[in-house]
Amino acid sequence: MPGHLSPEAVAGHSDRAVVIRLVLGSSLLLFLELALIRWLGSSVVHLSYFTNFVLLGSFLGIGTGFLISQKSYSILPLSSGLLTLLVIAVHVFPVSVRGTGNAILYFSALRTSGPPIWIVLPAIFVIVAVVTAGPAEVAGRCFGQLEPLTSYRWDLVGSLIGIGAFTLLSFLRAPSVVWGAIVGVMLVVLSRPEFRLVTAISGAGLILVLLAESNTLGVSWSPYYKVQTWEYRSWSAGTLAVITVNGIPHQVMGPAAWKLTGSDGQYRKPYERAVTRSLDNVLIIGAGSGSDVAIALSKGARHVDAVDIDPRIVQIGAERNPDRPYSDPRVTVHIDDGRAFLQSSDAKYDMILFALPDSLALVNGASQIRLESFLFTDRAMRTAYEHLKPSGVFAMYNYYRETWLIDRLAGTAAAAFGHRPCVDQTAAHAAVITVAVDPAYQRCAARYTPAGDVTAPATDDHPFLYYKQGAIPTIYLWTLAGIILISLLAVRLLGGSFRSMRPYLDLFFMGAAFLLLETKNIATFALLFGTTWLVNALVFGGVLLIVLAAVETTRKFRTPPLPVVWGAIVASLLLAYVIDPAWLLGWAFWPRLVIASVIGFLPVYLANIAFAKRFAATDRAQPAFAINLLGAILGGCLEYGALLTGYRNLLIVVGLLYLAAFVLTPRRGGALVSV
């Protein structure tokens, strides 16, 4: 009858509305997760060293949100209100992560107070879980209205949109108020009609607080930090510009002459210890706001390659450094990861400086890799050696804080160069380590003797410079135990008895294995292409695309039986284990990218073929997907085992987890449940 839709047309229209809502909910979830990692890491002092706990909290939130989606009530209004209260509380009452001992080294001069780390981190974990549970509930309700693989497909599309939007904003260095506005509007759009007014009020409060932050004098954003600049007057140097990142004093811009006459002497020691014929070509990694570059120019450098990972800090240096080093025609600026620059360059240098290249942030998705981790491995030091002329000199300096760390770095330099370096320990736990290709070109004040047993050099597979080796730090173990306990309680409360979840136990282990596999890929690509924000975003996006390809393969083609797929997963993991990523470092960019992608993403593709086949056979998509996501929390905790095993041996753990999933897959009539 004209004017009336057929039942099929009505059903199709309804499905389209559900798909649109699912895509919006999933994109909000990914966007909110990344925004929380960035904003909390920048606003809670020292949390940038522990952002993995924010990621784990979001996994719990997504899992519990899917469990809640089966119930009549909604947690979305609570999530939106708690998000606003969280932002207000952190903005008004500064919070810090306080650690003790030398198990975890912070590059921070701040003396923090407040609750201990084992209280702050679980509290943040719980709050993040509640905040992300609301959008996850929206996505979960959509899962219940679509076929399992159809819902998973559009969930992945939404996730890609979310990560793409946040990557674009990072590229544009958008302030936090833009993130808040997007999240606030999306929450209102996705809320039930009866809750929209409450959610709109919460969103308005969120935007106002972040607007105040964004309008704070001197505040700007880089892809890694919240950056703030301010000035103070010094009786010896006049007006100095200070750069603070994530609430921690980071760099001071002053005239080169003032830096060279400072009491600690770290800026002049490399030149005093080097017996060089000339400084025709100098490489500075960690160039930052330009002080080290200005000093090199004042010492007669004819050309300087200035490398820094953060474009905003370099921009501030170009605008405000009193010596204007970045305006000098002798200087070439490279915005890149220091290790990646060394690997891609064939230049030879008279001097290479690692000039305070300490980061205050982790690589997203890798709980123990800092932005500079791969710069201080034994192979990286050897690469620096290979880029020096026969009379060339290498030096690194920083406020290392611990004698064992100074000894470790001196030992790493000695192994790379074949003889002992000069080591000058200056004020405030600072040290300068200088070593020449030829010992005749270094002049040491005294023969250096380590204070005790020297910790072995960090390696590309075990790039944990600030970990003294031995057992995993107790503070991590207690905090992770608390997080697992909280997760179990939440699942028991919302999902019912653990016995009722037995049919989905294989999906739990798949989630744990996949998280570890993703972490291994992040570490591998960081080594091969750098720890920059763009490489990290591309790896996350690449993983999502591969997962989407696996889902589409399962939807459109007849795939092999599950036992065959499990066998292929094992074979791909063996391939990834046998081929050391370091073998690819000397290859040209495109062959290196192709081989690394095949080795890294083939297990991801096959694992998600297995997951898609299993997920398609589930009777209840919501609890199945929730249990899979909760398994990722176990994977995130197991990731800390890399401190003991290195990243390569994580593949063994991945294999064991997939073996457990294979054994626990439900069987009907003796055959594995699949499609």
Side-chain angles (χ1 to χ4, degrees), residues 35 92 104 193 246 266 275 277 281 298 306 329 372 376 432 456 556 593 615 622 674:
V92 176
I104 304 168
N246 291 353
Q266 68 176 357
V275 185
R277 295 173 181 170
N281 205 17
S298 74
E372 79 277 19
F376 291 100
V432 182
K556 296 180 179 179
L593 178 61
F615 188 61
Q622 293 145 301
S674 65

Side-chain angles (χ1 to χ4, degrees), residues 459-622:
T459 68
D460 286 347
D461 184 55
H462 195 275
F464 312 119
L465 177 66
Y466 311 110
Y467 169 57
K468 198 177 179 180
Q469 299 185 356
I472 297 175
T474 305
I475 191 63
Y476 282 151
L477 296 178
W478 280 109
T479 305
L480 291 171
I483 282 174
I484 290 175
L485 178 60
I486 292 168
S487 301
L488 289 174
L489 291 173
V491 173
R492 178 65 179 83
L493 179 65
L494 296 170
S497 68
F498 292 116
R499 186 184 298 273
S500 66
M501 302 175 196
R502 171 63 180 80
Y504 308 118
L505 199 54
D506 58 323
L507 297 176
F508 176 84
F509 284 102
M510 285 188 194
F514 182 74
L515 193 282
L516 282 182
L517 189 57
E518 183 178 51
T519 298
K520 172 62 171 66
N521 276 333
I522 290 169
T524 296
F525 278 83
L527 167 65
L528 295 177
F529 303 100
T531 57
T532 64
W533 68 276
L534 183 58
V535 170
N536 194 246
L538 290 175
V539 172
F540 272 113
V543 168
L544 289 174
L545 283 172
I546 294 299
V547 174
L548 182 59
V551 172
E552 292 302 295
T553 300
T554 307
R555 290 180 72 249
K556 296 180 179 179
F557 301 99
R558 184 177 181 82
T559 53
L562 267 178
V564 175
V565 178
W566 287 118
I569 292 171
V570 172
S572 66
L573 290 174
L574 285 172
L575 178 67
Y577 186 83
V578 169
I579 298 178
D580 186 349
W583 297 347
L584 306 178
L585 284 170
W587 291 30
F589 175 82
W590 287 110
R592 183 174 9 127
L593 178 61
V594 171
I595 298 301
S597 298
V598 170
I599 295 171
F601 290 143
L602 181 59
V604 173
Y605 177 75
L606 294 170
N608 279 279
I609 291 286
F611 175 78
K613 289 172 71 67
R614 173 69 180 92
F615 188 61
T618 58
D619 298 325
R620 299 166 63 206
Q622 293 145 301

Side-chain angles (χ1 to χ4, degrees), residues 388-431:
L388 287 167
K389 297 176 182 177
S391 60
V393 175
F394 168 84
M396 54 184 164
Y397 47 89
N398 211 325
Y399 299 95
Y400 294 115
R401 289 170 175 76
E402 295 292 336
T403 301
W404 71 263
L405 180 56
I406 297 171
D407 290 344
R408 184 180 203 181
L409 287 168
T412 306
F417 283 75
H419 60 89
R420 291 189 180 187
C422 305
V423 179
D424 294 283
Q425 298 191 51
T426 60
H429 305 289

